[in-house]
Amino acid sequence: MRPTPSTMPATSTPTAPATALDQELDHAVARGPLRHIVIPACPQLLLRMQDALRQPEPDLNEVARIAGSDVAMSAALLKVANSALYRGDMPVHTVGQAMNRLGLEQTATEMRTYLVRRALPVNNPRLARFWERSTKRAHAMAFLARHLLGTPPDVAHTCGLFSHVGLPVMLQSLPGYGGTLAEAAARVDRSPIATENANHRTDHAVVGALVARLWLLGPTVMAAIRRHHDLDMLGQGAGEPEVDQLVAMLTVSEHLMRRDEGLPTDADWTQHGARALAWLGAGEGELAEWAEDLRDTFALA
């Protein structure tokens, strides 16, 4: 029987040989900082969908059964399929029609987003509109993956959706973390990651990587989430190219999301934005085009 959220430990038993990141996470759990972190179990429907999509020939009937097994998720798919971005000559009325209009990739994207948001609700003013912004990052990541070489769009979307997932998990698990978020936003002498570590001996990048491991999101996504603020390493040959690609895309996607919402430029972009664009073989011209192309997609988040 799969553990419930209240009993899910902050550990896992990888089937592959332990990587350096696995060892780091195991050490963090063993020494104490992550011992009190409670991570909700991965939704069964999401596990079923991941299994169906991993097959050499994805089982479309299984994906349709999963989509139709939850009334609210079915309604969400129909809403997207009938939105201005996808609307055809006639409205769609069934899950099958919605899947035909959206295609398998976009159907899976919408289902993944719905299931994750339901499994990890965020009801705290410190993280206002957390999932809307996470969804925008994920949309931007999938968009970039379709325009750049090297990363499947579904992997990019998953990475974008989960990149900041450590924040609500820490907020739900650690006393005083709401105050840490306020302090991190106010301080200019150190990064938010440094403030998290000073107060809790861990940070949302580590916790997010642990979520990725427990939810079986894959080693590349797990590593990118762990490294998404370690931008000094980008392009230095210290990591894997697939992980560097995701980290660079996350940096750009965060900037595009903030730009769309009229938020101030963050420190990561100020210090490392040019490096991220260079890694992706892009410049300010492409960045402006991407921002324009994503405007309607962002409106769906």
Side-chain angles (χ1 to χ4, degrees):
M1 188 171 87
R2 188 168 297 276
T4 64
S6 61
T7 60
M8 173 68 81
T11 58
S12 70
T13 305
T15 55
T19 64
L21 180 51
D22 285 316
Q23 293 171 3
E24 176 192 347
L25 295 178
D26 290 339
H27 179 64
V29 171
R31 71 180 182 174
L34 300 181
R35 188 168 297 164
H36 302 293
I37 295 291
V38 177
I39 299 174
C42 185
Q44 289 288 341
L45 290 180
L46 183 57
L47 290 173
R48 281 177 58 190
M49 187 180 78
Q50 290 175 169
D51 287 342
L53 295 176
R54 286 194 186 107
Q55 303 305 314
E57 293 187 11
D59 188 341
L60 300 182
N61 290 328
E62 171 68 353
V63 175
R65 284 192 292 270
I66 296 167
S69 68
D70 185 292
V71 173
M73 183 160 57
S74 298
L77 282 176
L78 290 170
K79 180 180 178 181
V80 173
N82 287 315
S83 68
L85 192 61
Y86 295 99
R87 186 169 55 227
D89 295 333
M90 299 289 291
V92 299
H93 301 288
T94 68
V95 168
Q97 291 171 347
M99 288 181 61
N100 286 336
R101 177 167 294 177
L102 296 174
L104 178 60
E105 178 189 315
Q106 191 60 35
T107 296
T109 290
E110 298 300 332
M111 290 170 62
R112 184 185 305 113
T113 301
Y114 170 83
L115 290 168
V116 172
R117 291 175 71 157
R118 188 175 67 176
L120 292 168
V122 179
N123 299 305
N124 189 289
R126 296 290 183 194
L127 294 178
R129 301 184 63 243
F130 174 83
W131 281 120
E132 288 84 352
R133 288 173 174 151
S134 295
T135 301
K136 286 186 176 182
R137 290 188 198 96
H139 284 328
M141 289 287 286
F143 171 87
L144 291 175
R146 287 190 289 269
H147 285 75
L148 303 167
L149 298 176
T151 303
D154 62 324
V155 172
H157 181 274
T158 298
C159 190
L161 190 64
F162 281 88
S163 60
H164 287 64
V165 75
L167 293 171
V169 172
M170 292 179 75
L171 187 62
Q172 293 169 7
S173 300
L174 299 179
Y177 186 69
T180 296
L181 287 175
E183 179 185 351
R187 296 191 71 145
V188 295
D189 60 324
R190 65 186 184 191
S191 68
I193 288 282
T195 297
E196 288 178 328
N197 277 286
N199 293 355
H200 304 285
R201 295 190 298 145
T202 192
D203 58 64
H204 73 272
V206 175
V207 175
L210 187 63
V211 175
R213 183 167 74 164
L214 289 173
W215 283 37
L216 306 178
L217 302 184
T220 303
V221 170
M222 179 176 70
I225 292 173
R226 173 64 186 92
R227 279 194 47 209
H228 75 275
H229 287 298
D230 296 338
L231 298 171
D232 287 332
M233 299 171 61
L234 188 60
Q236 298 301 309
E240 300 177 9
E242 296 86 356
V243 176
D244 280 357
Q245 177 93 347
L246 282 172
V247 171
M249 291 166 63
L250 278 171
T251 305
V252 173
S253 296
E254 174 73 16
H255 179 68
L256 290 168
M257 181 279 295
R258 297 180 70 87
R259 182 170 174 167
D260 180 74
E261 298 212 344
L263 298 171
T265 300
D266 67 350
D268 280 349
W269 184 259
T270 300
Q271 297 174 27
H272 305 288
R275 178 182 294 178
L277 285 173
W279 172 261
L280 299 175
E284 291 295 331
E286 286 89 350
L287 187 68
E289 291 178 5
W290 294 339
E292 180 64 28
D293 291 343
L294 281 167
R295 183 175 300 170
D296 290 339
T297 302
F298 279 160
L300 292 176

